[in-house]
Amino acid sequence: MGVQGLYTALKPFGVVTPLSGETVVIDGPGLVHRMWETSNKTQTNKMSSAITCHIPYASLGQTVIHWLDTLRANNVNVRKIYFDGYLPPRKWDTRRQRLIQSSRQMKNASFNTHVVHRPAQNPIVTTASDGSQQPAPGVRSLPKHPFLVPAVIEQLRQSPDWRSKVQVVPGEADAYCAQDVKKSGGIVMTSDSDLYIEDLGPTGAVVFFSGIYERHSDLEAMTGEKFSRTAFEEKNELTQCGGLPMVAYELSVNKLSMKEAIQHAKMGYAQTLGRESYQWFLEEHMSEEYIAADHPVLATLSNLDPRISEFVIQSLNIEVVQSEPVKTSQRGTPRGPEELSMFLPIMIEQHTRKSSWSMSESVRQLAYGLIQSSEPGRREQMIEYRTMDTLTGGRKLTIPPPYKVATLCDTLLATLEALSRDIETPGFRWIAFAVHQDMEWSIWEEKTPISSTLIQNAVRYAEGPEPDTVSWAVVHFVAQAQASLYSLRMLKQILAVVATLSPEKLTGPMQELREHLSTLPNIAEYPTVASVEQTLAQFGEAGGLFVVSALLGIPMQVLPKPPVTQTMGSRAQKATAKASNKRSLQDSKGQNEALKQKKARESPAQAKRSLEVSETRDEEIEKKKKPRRPLSLNPYALLSEAALEE
């Protein structure tokens, strides 16, 4: 996360040297974000187009692997690539501010764009004053990919060359990079200026990703701007007066120039050393150990996504959970270990609709309940952060007790078995699950399912030319589908943790559930805004909507007919829709006129009988419009407050 201004202040002290023959450890999250920024330099400058222009996960992973291959081709030995598996409570304040910023970015995008444009054939590139290409404004104004880091980790794990180098650690990646280099020597490659003030040992050094220069011919070598804390402190005679951490503190607190900060560090060392604010500064920027090196959970962490790893570490009765509450610093009150929390990524969604994470909440609650039931001292509640508009955001969820965990497991297993049986095309089964969750949740909330409307629209316009725009409904459904699949991914990984730590608690249905979840698609294969309409059209034509409706007990005839959208695309489609609406209106007028003439000819007794028949028919239709699954089968009913009190 870094000390503000430290990178710029220390850049002149870096030494450009060839990297050939060097051994490096890599700050994984920093590398992924650097590659994302580099790859998105050629994206469109329209905010709404940026939603569909984001580089695909698969392409981003390939970019990262290509960059690593380039290092190896230049005789650079990569010893490890570390990824965060737990962010400490003291980082909560910074994390909260970033969550608020991302939430507001997404809300502004939804406010300011009524339709979402598809990417242009020749995207506009923005150019900085120095001639370099920069990420387009539209891309910068949106949250990054929701699953950016786990998608790249997944692809690295599938690479025979790089899978052994990847490690998800029970702490911050930069701290483990520093410990590695201090112990074994080498260079840390990062974008985090905290590494400047870490103790890297006498020979350790830091190279920023932005300071790496690739060769352009066989005569040139790959070089990097290498910074050595030891060399800097010796050159500026700081070894006996706090060193670089003291200088960084002066830069951060007093907003001085580098020359002034060095002088302040030398002259006021004894006085500054005793200040509480300096001790807080050191604690905030120095590494900590949260889990004993021999704890059995460590063997499973590298197979988990960072967010899931963090939740597992919080949930288990290990040191970080049993430690004393975190002190309050001048920067605010960070989340203490006693607050069990899950930080979900910000989805690119329509903010006027219910959060795209809502539909898959029951799956995540099953996962939370599973990991809690595997250890003594279970907790009854936790906080889930989906978006955050204020400093006190977060949704409190009830963690289901063991007997409800078993029922939820049986219900989910029955759903997956039914979809596997009735959906013949394997590729459609997971989109069917997302549609099932949307429709099931909509029934419970008495709302119109967004999926049924989109599927019917997609089938209707499947043969027409690709429209120029995409509706926000499509964008939101993609977010829902991705959230559903990622919630299943969370469940899959937590089941693996339970199987490792408490295999005796894994029941038969849980084992079957693991088998079903073993076929989950990779993150790179999740539905996208660019592809989902074609997928929904094929799904609808294959009878997928009928299968899901039948499974939920919803007659097809009570599903709402999709309105003619204003973003379907070509003029020909709009003209066809307009003509269709006109004919429907004429037919309706004709039917109304005939009905009036019929009523005029009826006797009072006949009119009364007609009214009674009409009212009976209306009651039957209303019953069909509000089908409800039995309480024991509906996960939302299972997890409602009323159900929990029974």
Side-chain angles (χ1 to χ4, degrees):
M1 296 176 182
V3 179
Q4 187 174 3
L6 186 60
Y7 169 72
T8 302
L10 291 177
K11 195 175 188 302
F13 296 90
V15 179
V16 178
T17 58
L19 295 177
S20 177
E22 296 282 6
T23 295
V24 303
V25 296
I26 296 176
D27 174 5
L31 173 62
V32 172
H33 288 285
R34 173 67 180 176
M35 293 296 104
W36 184 89
E37 292 165 1
T38 302
S39 299
N40 274 307
K41 284 182 178 180
T42 58
Q43 298 306 308
T44 174
N45 67 348
K46 290 183 179 179
M47 179 188 296
S48 62
S49 296
I51 294 172
T52 54
C53 280
H54 269 171
I55 179 174
Y57 287 119
S59 299
L60 179 63
Q62 291 166 6
T63 299
V64 171
I65 290 173
H66 173 74
W67 189 85
L68 293 170
D69 289 342
T70 302
L71 283 183
R72 186 172 55 186
N74 281 271
N75 194 32
V76 178
N77 174 45
V78 178
R79 186 161 61 223
K80 274 292 180 187
I81 307 170
Y82 291 107
F83 288 90
D84 303 326
Y86 179 78
L87 290 182
R90 59 183 169 79
K91 294 289 188 180
W92 161 236
D93 208 36
T94 302
R95 183 184 228 175
R96 180 170 53 183
Q97 293 294 343
R98 291 186 175 184
L99 188 58
I100 291 173
Q101 180 183 7
S102 296
S103 299
R104 290 175 179 172
Q105 283 179 333
M106 192 59 253
K107 179 177 284 189
N108 290 337
S110 184
F111 261 133
N112 298 330
T113 54
H114 301 293
V115 293
V116 181
H117 295 276
R118 291 188 185 276
Q121 292 297 319
N122 298 301
I124 300 171
V125 178
T126 58
T127 305
S129 57
D130 61 359
S132 62
Q133 293 180 334
Q134 300 294 329
V139 175
R140 285 197 303 264
S141 62
L142 285 171
K144 293 180 180 179
H145 287 314
F147 312 113
L148 197 70
V149 172
V152 172
I153 292 175
E154 187 171 53
Q155 292 182 70
L156 287 172
R157 286 173 179 154
Q158 294 170 348
S159 167
D161 293 330
W162 300 108
R163 65 165 64 108
S164 63
K165 308 292 185 182
V166 175
Q167 187 171 344
V168 177
V169 296
E172 293 180 279
D174 57 353
Y176 279 79
C177 288
Q179 292 172 11
D180 189 318
V181 168
K182 182 179 180 179
K183 178 181 178 182
S184 305
I187 295 173
V188 178
M189 289 187 168
T190 185
S191 292
D192 191 342
S193 59
D194 278 354
L195 269 301
Y196 280 144
I197 57 178
E198 289 274 10
D199 181 6
L200 303 181
T203 62
V206 176
V207 171
F208 264 58
F209 295 118
S210 58
I212 298 173
Y213 307 100
E214 296 184 27
R215 63 183 184 179
H216 299 288
S217 71
D218 292 338
L219 299 178
E220 299 178 76
M222 176 182 275
T223 59
E225 292 180 357
K226 187 161 66 171
F227 176 85
S228 167
R229 170 180 163 177
T230 301
F232 175 84
E233 291 176 346
E234 290 176 351
K235 180 179 180 180
N236 292 282
E237 300 177 347
L238 292 166
T239 54
Q240 301 301 317
C241 51
L244 185 53
M246 183 69 73
V247 175
Y249 170 77
E250 295 291 349
L251 285 169
S252 175
V253 174
N254 298 316
K255 311 301 180 185
L256 304 173
S257 68
M258 176 56 74
K259 184 177 181 180
E260 291 170 333
I262 292 173
Q263 290 301 318
H264 271 243
K266 291 179 178 179
M267 296 173 61
Y269 166 66
Q271 183 180 3
T272 302
L273 192 62
R275 291 177 181 168
E276 186 178 11
S277 61
Y278 179 62
Q279 297 305 317
W280 278 119
F281 176 83
L282 291 179
E283 288 183 22
E284 187 172 359
H285 296 286
M286 295 301 177
S287 60
E288 299 177 43
E289 183 176 289
Y290 300 101
I291 300 177
D294 59 348
H295 196 284
V297 75
L298 293 178
T300 68
L301 290 188
S302 274
N303 296 318
L304 306 180
D305 291 349
R307 294 176 193 273
I308 302 172
S309 167
E310 179 171 33
F311 186 78
V312 168
I313 290 173
Q314 288 185 79
S315 298
L316 301 178
N317 287 331
I318 49 183
E319 285 184 39
V320 67
V321 176
Q322 297 172 340
S323 63
E324 295 181 2
V326 181
K327 299 176 183 178
T328 302
S329 72
Q330 294 180 345
R331 304 184 104 195
T333 305
R335 170 179 56 82
E338 70 281 357
E339 293 291 340
L340 185 60
S341 306
M342 167 57 75
F343 290 86
L344 298 170
I346 300 296
M347 305 298 287
I348 297 178
E349 61 186 2
Q350 189 174 18
H351 86 280
T352 54
R353 295 179 182 269
K354 195 76 170 178
S355 167
S356 54
W357 288 105
S358 300
M359 296 74 198
S360 49
E361 183 177 293
S362 63
V363 174
R364 295 192 303 281
Q365 284 183 275
L366 171 56
Y368 303 149
L370 277 168
I371 193 66
Q372 284 289 290
S373 63
S374 69
E375 291 292 321
R378 66 174 299 275
R379 305 180 191 189
E380 296 181 353
Q381 291 184 327
M382 51 89 64
I383 300 174
E384 199 174 67
Y385 295 94
R386 304 170 184 180
T387 59
M388 186 179 261
D389 293 327
T390 65
L391 294 176
T392 57
R395 180 179 175 83
K396 188 171 289 187
L397 294 181
T398 299
I399 299 175
Y403 77 94
K404 275 198 169 59
V405 166
T407 305
L408 285 170
C409 183
D410 291 341
T411 303
L412 178 58
L413 180 60
T415 299
L416 293 177
E417 286 177 340
L419 291 174
S420 297
R421 179 188 66 242
D422 298 337
I423 301 290
E424 295 182 359
T425 307
F428 287 156
R429 288 171 186 164
W430 296 113
I431 195 71
F433 181 79
V435 171
H436 181 280
Q437 283 206 311
D438 172 55
M439 295 180 68
E440 185 175 51
W441 178 86
S442 299
I443 293 167
W444 180 251
E445 294 289 328
E446 299 185 349
K447 296 181 182 294
T448 301
I450 187 176
S451 55
S452 64
T453 302
L454 292 178
I455 290 169
Q456 293 176 77
N457 267 336
V459 171
R460 180 186 297 178
Y461 296 104
E463 300 302 322
E466 184 178 67
D468 300 325
T469 57
V470 179
S471 71
W472 268 106
V474 171
V475 174
H476 196 85
F477 175 73
V478 168
Q480 285 184 196
Q482 292 184 355
S484 290
L485 292 175
Y486 194 76
S487 296
L488 288 174
R489 183 183 176 93
M490 291 170 61
L491 177 59
K492 174 186 175 181
Q493 294 189 9
I494 285 178
L495 277 168
V497 172
V498 174
T500 300
L501 299 182
S502 306
E504 72 284 355
K505 295 184 178 181
L506 211 61
T507 65
M510 292 177 190
Q511 291 281 15
E512 293 181 56
L513 200 52
R514 287 191 74 191
E515 292 177 13
H516 278 281
L517 297 178
S518 66
T519 63
L520 268 174
N522 294 332
I523 293 174
E525 299 168 338
Y526 283 6
T528 65
V529 173
S531 66
V532 74
E533 288 175 289
Q534 181 180 0
T535 301
L536 290 178
Q538 295 170 348
F539 178 75
E541 290 168 350
L545 183 58
F546 176 82
V547 170
V548 174
S549 300
L551 184 59
L552 290 167
I554 308 173
M556 284 289 289
Q557 59 267 30
V558 305
L559 288 177
K561 301 303 178 190
V564 177
T565 69
Q566 298 301 312
T567 57
M568 288 309 298
S570 69
R571 293 182 179 179
Q573 286 176 323
K574 291 180 180 178
T576 301
K578 186 175 181 181
S580 175
N581 284 348
K582 186 176 181 181
R583 286 194 300 272
S584 298
L585 185 60
Q586 290 172 345
D587 292 343
S588 178
K589 287 181 178 179
Q591 291 171 1
N592 289 339
E593 187 62 32
L595 186 59
K596 286 179 182 178
Q597 293 176 6
K598 180 182 178 183
K599 286 183 177 180
R601 294 193 299 269
E602 286 180 341
S603 66
Q606 289 174 324
K608 183 179 179 181
R609 282 196 300 271
S610 296
L611 180 61
E612 290 172 350
V613 171
S614 176
E615 289 175 345
T616 302
R617 184 166 57 247
D618 289 344
E619 288 175 2
E620 291 175 352
I621 291 174
E622 283 301 314
K623 289 179 182 178
K624 289 179 179 179
K625 282 183 178 178
K626 297 182 180 180
R628 287 288 180 89
R629 299 180 70 190
L631 180 65
S632 61
L633 296 179
N634 192 311
Y636 303 100
L638 272 171
L639 295 168
S640 68
E641 290 301 320
L644 289 172
E645 290 172 1
E646 291 179 355

